[in-house]
Amino acid sequence: MSRYDLALEAIQSKSVRFRARTWLLSITLVLSCALPSLVYATDIYDLQKSGDVELIAWVGEKPKSGDKITPAKVSVNEQVILNIEVATPRWLTGGTRIGSIEIPNVIAKQRNQLATNYTERVNGTTWSRQRWEVTLYPMTSGKFVIPRLPVRVQVSAPDGSNVGGTLYTQPIKFEASLPSGLLNDESPWFSATNVDVDQRWQRSNEELKVGDAITRTVTIKAKDSLSVLLPNVLTNEATQQYQAYPQPNRLDDTQERGDYRSSRIEETVYVIQQGGEFTLPEFSFQWWDSKNQRLESVIIEGQAFKARHTLKSFFKAYMHVIVFSVIGLVALICLIFAIKRYYRNHPTPDWLVLRRLLKQRNWPALRTFVYRQLRSETAQLELSKAQLGKLNGQKRWVEDSEALQQGCKDQAVFTRLWRGLRNLSSGKSKSGASRTIISRLKIPKALPDYKR
């Protein structure tokens, strides 16, 4: 091979190596431009130590740098805001993700899905800050600890690269206690800063009757509370007058411009079972006003209604009354027929004879009736000779006897004379019966001693 060929081969080899280096450099530049997020530094903690990244969390008022953090004191069921803030003197280049919070007897909910971004000038340097809020609701009294929370952040490094990693907040303590001695952990109540209650009624017909329906809707709106903590007010107890059919509750939690609002809508359909007047009951609940530090009571008023019976509902409602009435009427008719049949072959009672004569105002027959009663009871012919026993009674008896002999036509006189004779007869019968009893109770004489 000539020197010319050797020189040409060397030039071609150098050209291939140059092209390879050029391609490798081009690929590196393309990858660095297309996937900048993959270029992460591993010194996120060094950035935190150097002061280029800050992560703080607090409950209540934001602590100042260097201040001693004291546990916040709140009420049971009160809304507690956990603030988590990420700051850097450069800028955040990725989304921040907060780990889940699990604390026994505490409900944690991140209701605001958007962070608050703002800038702050510190010592001539502009800091970019991003604040997140997590609402906490302690359910019982006691001391609670918010554990170290993982927070995934991504910031720009001084060299222009993106640095990402997971930082952890410091543990935070707070205490919860009952705000009032009138409350306990067992009674249904909740805490809020404002509560509004609305109640609506809807009838299926303007003129209610059995089978119609009444829809009752109760809406409870609260500020700085959670919908699951709002009380269930409609107990939906059925009675003989109506049947209750509860509808699914509608819960809603919203956040608008830093205001946390919750609502609970309960609806029950009452189907009327019986006619007449009935009242749907009232309900009440208590809530603690955490803003004004006082206990409030709310009464949800009931309402009275009146429904007409249908033929079917009338018989259903009064079936036992109808049955007993029919049985009583049949028994009364049978008794009347039995009495009439009995007195066809027996003498009419004296009181009935007297009543008929008084109704007919048959005065001669009444006089005859009284004298016949006197003859049968006392075996005497003059009313004045009958002795009643009591002085006042005897005086009235003599006056009535004289009035009768003078042709008195007063129904009261005949009635008193007949009652006096009846009392006289009953007194004799009692005395005779008592003598009979006494004679039976007397100790018999000793039997004679017969000698054989």
Side-chain angles (χ1 to χ4, degrees):
M1 181 178 293
S2 62
R3 292 181 180 180
Y4 177 78
D5 295 332
L6 292 173
L8 181 60
E9 185 178 355
I11 292 173
Q12 291 177 350
S13 178
K14 290 181 180 179
S15 177
V16 170
R17 288 195 297 270
F18 177 77
R19 290 177 181 177
R21 292 176 182 176
T22 303
W23 277 104
L24 181 61
L25 181 60
S26 300
I27 292 174
T28 304
L29 291 174
V30 169
L31 290 175
S32 62
C33 293
L35 301 174
S37 60
L38 297 177
V39 183
Y40 290 112
T42 58
D43 55 349
I44 185 68
Y45 301 105
D46 293 336
L47 291 177
Q48 186 181 26
K49 290 179 182 179
S50 64
D52 289 332
V53 175
E54 288 184 358
L55 175 63
I56 57 175
W58 71 92
V59 170
E61 296 183 1
K62 183 178 180 179
K64 296 181 180 179
S65 179
D67 291 350
K68 183 179 179 180
I69 300 176
T70 57
K73 295 183 179 181
V74 298
S75 301
V76 177
N77 293 335
E78 183 180 354
Q79 178 176 275
V80 180
I81 304 297
L82 170 61
N83 299 276
I84 301 174
E85 188 173 275
V86 181
T88 178
R90 297 183 62 81
W91 58 86
L92 298 170
T93 59
T96 304
R97 293 189 296 272
I98 302 173
S100 60
I101 303 176
E102 294 184 1
I103 307 174
N105 298 323
V106 175
I107 299 177
K109 187 177 180 63
Q110 187 174 345
R111 298 173 62 175
N112 190 356
Q113 301 300 325
L114 300 177
T116 302
N117 295 279
Y118 65 100
T119 59
E120 184 181 15
R121 191 113 177 135
V122 179
N123 298 327
T125 304
T126 302
W127 283 71
S128 299
R129 296 185 179 273
Q130 186 179 86
R131 182 179 299 177
W132 296 86
E133 293 183 353
V134 180
T135 55
L136 306 176
Y137 303 90
M139 304 303 297
T140 59
S141 303
K143 297 181 180 180
F144 301 92
V145 178
I146 303 174
R148 291 164 52 89
L149 300 178
V151 180
R152 177 71 180 180
V153 297
Q154 181 176 309
V155 299
S156 62
D159 59 357
S161 62
N162 294 328
V163 179
T166 301
L167 302 178
Y168 290 86
T169 63
Q170 74 279 11
I172 303 174
K173 299 180 180 180
F174 68 93
E175 299 179 5
S177 60
L178 291 174
S180 173
L182 300 176
L183 300 173
N184 55 65
D185 293 331
E186 303 297 331
S187 61
W189 63 278
F190 65 98
S191 178
T193 56
N194 186 36
V195 174
D196 184 23
V197 179
D198 178 63
Q199 180 175 216
R200 295 183 180 181
W201 303 88
Q202 184 178 359
R203 306 185 183 190
S204 58
N205 287 311
E206 188 65 26
E207 294 291 335
L208 293 174
K209 63 180 183 300
V210 175
D212 288 341
I214 301 172
T215 302
R216 184 179 191 178
T217 304
V218 176
T219 303
I220 301 176
K221 296 181 180 179
K223 184 179 178 181
D224 295 331
S225 185
L226 197 63
S227 60
V228 296
L229 301 179
L230 303 182
N232 184 12
V233 294
L234 299 181
T235 57
N236 303 314
E237 295 182 357
T239 65
Q240 294 182 352
Q241 285 77 22
Y242 56 84
Q243 192 75 24
Y245 297 94
Q247 306 301 309
N249 297 332
R250 299 191 293 273
L251 307 181
D252 185 37
D253 296 290
T254 59
Q255 186 276 337
E256 182 180 359
R257 296 180 181 178
D259 290 337
Y260 294 96
R261 299 184 181 275
S262 302
S263 66
R264 182 188 184 95
I265 301 177
E266 297 184 27
E267 187 174 283
T268 300
V269 179
Y270 300 93
V271 180
I272 304 173
Q273 303 293 318
Q274 291 186 3
E277 294 184 356
F278 63 94
T279 302
L280 295 179
E282 67 177 20
F283 300 99
S284 62
F285 64 88
Q286 292 179 315
W287 66 282
W288 175 256
D289 188 350
S290 58
K291 182 178 180 181
N292 299 314
Q293 295 294 304
R294 62 187 181 188
L295 184 63
E296 300 286 349
S297 297
V298 177
I299 297 178
I300 304 174
E301 297 182 353
Q303 189 169 342
F305 298 91
K306 186 176 182 180
R308 294 184 292 106
H309 266 296
T310 61
L311 184 61
K312 182 179 179 180
S313 65
F314 179 82
F315 279 104
K316 181 179 179 181
Y318 299 101
M319 180 59 69
H320 60 288
V321 177
I322 295 173
V323 170
F324 284 115
S325 300
V326 171
I327 293 175
L329 182 60
V330 172
L332 180 61
I333 293 174
C334 294
L335 180 62
I336 293 173
F337 277 103
I339 292 174
K340 287 185 176 181
R341 184 175 181 182
Y342 175 81
Y343 284 111
R344 287 177 184 174
N345 302 321
H346 294 78
T348 305
D350 294 339
W351 63 269
L352 185 56
V353 174
L354 177 65
R355 184 177 180 85
R356 290 177 178 176
L357 294 175
L358 290 174
K359 187 176 181 180
Q360 298 172 1
R361 306 178 69 87
N362 191 347
W363 310 114
L366 282 170
R367 292 189 185 90
T368 304
F369 174 75
V370 170
Y371 278 106
R372 187 172 64 246
Q373 191 74 16
L374 175 65
R375 179 69 176 176
S376 63
E377 299 294 342
T378 62
Q380 294 187 12
L381 299 177
E382 297 182 12
L383 289 170
S384 59
K385 293 182 178 181
Q387 301 294 325
L388 296 182
K390 295 182 180 179
L391 182 59
N392 294 333
Q394 186 66 34
K395 182 178 180 182
R396 172 59 66 85
W397 176 266
V398 172
E399 293 176 355
D400 290 340
S401 301
E402 293 178 354
L404 180 66
Q405 292 175 1
Q406 294 175 2
C408 175
K409 296 182 179 180
D410 189 357
Q411 294 184 0
V413 172
F414 289 94
T415 303
R416 286 196 295 270
L417 289 173
W418 180 80
R419 289 180 178 175
L421 293 174
R422 294 293 296 176
N423 293 336
L424 185 62
S425 175
S426 61
K428 289 182 178 180
S429 61
K430 289 182 180 179
S431 61
S434 61
R435 286 196 299 271
T436 304
I437 295 173
I438 293 174
S439 63
R440 290 180 180 178
L441 294 176
K442 285 183 178 179
I443 301 175
K445 295 181 179 180
L447 296 175
D449 186 13
Y450 293 101
K451 295 182 179 181
R452 294 183 179 178

